[in-house]
Amino acid sequence: ILPTNVPVANSGGMIVPYEGGYAILALLSKNDTLAKDVLDKMVTLQNADGSWYQQYYPYKPFTRYEDRKVDSGTALMAWAMADYDARNAAVTYKTAWQLAAEFLHTLEWSLTSSASLLKNQVINGAVEDVAFAADVAEAVLGLTRGLDAYGATVLDSGGHSVKDLITRLVAGIDGYMWRPADYFYQTEYPLGAQSQTKPGVYITFKQLVTYTQALVAWALKNWDDKYGTLGQHTQNVSDALDRVVAVNRGRWGGYLIHPMYEPTDPPEEYAHYAALMKTAMETVNATRYARHIDEALKFMRWCSLSNGAVFDCVWPDGRCYVSPNARGPLLVSAATCILAGA
C-alpha cells in the first residue's frame, strides 16, 4: 500500500481493486486503521455506475490501464466496505456499497426466473457472455456482508433487493456450476467458453480449480448459516473440498491450481490457494478438516518472510519462490494468508 493509500497488486505497481479488496479485509481483521484510509481513497476511484476499472496507474496521468470493468473487483471492494461498516456498526460506505451492488445487478445473467450468474466483465462497454463460479462466489460473499452491515432488506442504488439477487446467484451456482457426477464446481459457464484477458487474447480454462472450490464452499456455507437454509449445501461443498484435498494437495501442505492434466501444467503449490482452502475448510467443518487445516497453516507460515512478504509458489522439491511474472511478492497472497490466520 503506497503512501497515497492505494493498494498495488505486486512489485509491478498497478492498483488493482481485486487484490486491494482482500488487502483491506486483511487490515480490518487486524483492526488496522490504515483500512479506512485505503477505503476512502478507493471511493474516489469508483465509477458513476458503481464499478471500478480492473487496473489503475498509481503515478502516471491516466485514469486507468484500459476500459475494463470486472465483477470480482467490484465485489471485493463492496465486501471490504461492508466489512468495515459491519465491524463498526456504521453506514460510512453504504452509498458506495449500494452503487457497487447495482453494478453487479446490471451484470446479472438470468438463466431462469429464479437462477442467475454474473457476466464476468465489461470491455469498452461490451459485456462478455462468460460467468465464473469463483467470481459469483466472491459477489455472494461481498453482498452477504452487506446484509450483515445494512440489514436483510437493504436495496441497491437502483432499488433492487440485494437478498433476492444473492438467492438467484446461489441457485445459479447450484443449477449451472455444480457437477454432481464429478463432485466439484466447474470453472466457467458455458463450459468451454473463452474469456478475453487483453485485447485480442482469449484463453480457455481447466476444471477442478482449487480456488474455485474454496471460494464457492466458503460463500455457500456462509450464506446457508446466515440467510439461507441451514445445511443445504453442506454435502456438495464438502464433496468439492474433499476432491481438492485428494487431487490438488501437494506434498508440502499447499495446493496446486488444478490437477496436472498435461505434462506442462504447473506442478507448484500456492500459498494463496492454501489460504483460501484453510478458510473454506474451517468455515465448512473445522473438525472434519483439522489435519489439512494444520498442514495449510504450516505451509503458509513456511512461505512467509519476516518482512511480511510471502513466497507465492513452492516447487515439488521444496524450493519457495515468487512469481517471475509479477516481478515480486503478490499482495493478495499476503492478504489471504492474514485472513486465514497465518
Side-chain angles (χ1 to χ4, degrees), residues 44-62:
T44 69
L45 296 178
Q46 189 176 25
N47 296 313
D49 64 1
S51 69
W52 281 264
Y53 291 115
Q54 184 186 39
Q55 298 183 68
Y56 298 83
Y57 290 103
Y59 294 121
K60 292 182 180 180
F62 308 116

Side-chain angles (χ1 to χ4, degrees), residues 82-126:
D83 191 55
Y84 177 91
D85 281 348
R87 289 175 181 273
N88 292 282
V91 291
T92 306
Y93 301 107
K94 183 178 180 180
T95 298
W97 179 89
Q98 289 176 300
L99 283 167
E102 168 61 11
F103 175 73
L104 294 174
H105 180 266
T106 66
L107 298 180
E108 183 177 8
W109 193 350
S110 297
L111 301 172
T112 70
S113 61
S114 59
S116 301
L117 297 171
L118 294 177
K119 296 188 178 184
N120 171 243
Q121 58 183 345
V122 183
I123 307 170
N124 295 317

Side-chain angles (χ1 to χ4, degrees), residues 140-154:
V140 169
L141 285 162
L143 295 174
T144 301
R145 193 57 170 151
L147 303 190
D148 298 343
Y150 312 121
T153 60
V154 67

Side-chain angles (χ1 to χ4, degrees), residues 14-259:
M14 299 300 296
I15 305 167
V16 184
Y18 179 81
E19 281 85 345
Y22 275 115
I24 298 166
L25 289 169
L27 292 174
L28 288 169
S29 75
K30 298 300 180 182
N31 299 312
D32 194 309
T33 56
L34 179 59
K36 187 177 188 306
D37 294 333
V38 180
L39 282 171
D40 288 344
K41 179 64 177 182
M42 294 307 294
V43 168
T44 69
L45 296 178
Q46 189 176 25
N47 296 313
D49 64 1
S51 69
W52 281 264
Y53 291 115
Q54 184 186 39
Q55 298 183 68
Y56 298 83
Y57 290 103
Y59 294 121
K60 292 182 180 180
F62 308 116
T63 59
R64 62 190 186 278
Y65 177 67
E66 61 181 334
D67 189 353
R68 183 188 298 260
K69 303 169 182 178
V70 184
D71 58 354
S72 55
T74 297
L76 261 296
M77 276 293 126
W79 185 0
M81 290 175 177
D83 191 55
Y84 177 91
D85 281 348
R87 289 175 181 273
N88 292 282
V91 291
T92 306
Y93 301 107
K94 183 178 180 180
T95 298
W97 179 89
Q98 289 176 300
L99 283 167
E102 168 61 11
F103 175 73
L104 294 174
H105 180 266
T106 66
L107 298 180
E108 183 177 8
W109 193 350
S110 297
L111 301 172
T112 70
S113 61
S114 59
S116 301
L117 297 171
L118 294 177
K119 296 188 178 184
N120 171 243
Q121 58 183 345
V122 183
I123 307 170
N124 295 317
V127 182
E128 184 177 74
D129 290 339
V130 183
F132 294 103
D135 294 40
V136 177
E138 286 166 331
V140 169
L141 285 162
L143 295 174
T144 301
R145 193 57 170 151
L147 303 190
D148 298 343
Y150 312 121
T153 60
V154 67
L155 306 178
D156 63 29
S157 62
H160 310 101
S161 167
V162 175
K163 185 178 180 182
D164 288 350
L165 173 60
I166 301 171
T167 301
R168 294 192 297 273
L169 294 178
V170 169
I173 293 174
D174 290 343
Y176 294 90
M177 292 300 194
W178 175 244
R179 298 174 62 161
D182 299 312
Y183 303 107
F184 64 80
Y185 294 91
Q186 69 185 53
T187 305
E188 79 286 3
Y189 177 87
L191 190 64
Q194 293 184 320
S195 180
Q196 185 190 109
T197 57
K198 57 184 179 180
V201 178
Y202 293 84
I203 60 173
T204 54
F205 303 92
K206 298 291 179 72
Q207 300 302 316
L208 189 49
V209 173
T210 294
Y211 66 80
T212 297
Q213 314 314 309
L215 285 167
V216 171
W218 182 4
L220 295 184
K221 183 62 164 63
N222 182 61
W223 171 253
D224 287 354
D225 288 351
K226 291 180 176 179
Y227 303 100
T229 301
L230 284 174
Q232 179 181 352
H233 294 95
T234 299
Q235 187 62 60
N236 286 0
V237 299
S238 298
D239 286 345
L241 293 178
D242 289 351
R243 189 78 193 275
V244 171
V245 169
V247 178
N248 291 359
R249 185 169 58 92
R251 66 181 298 188
W252 304 108
Y255 289 85
L256 283 67
I257 184 172
H258 55 65

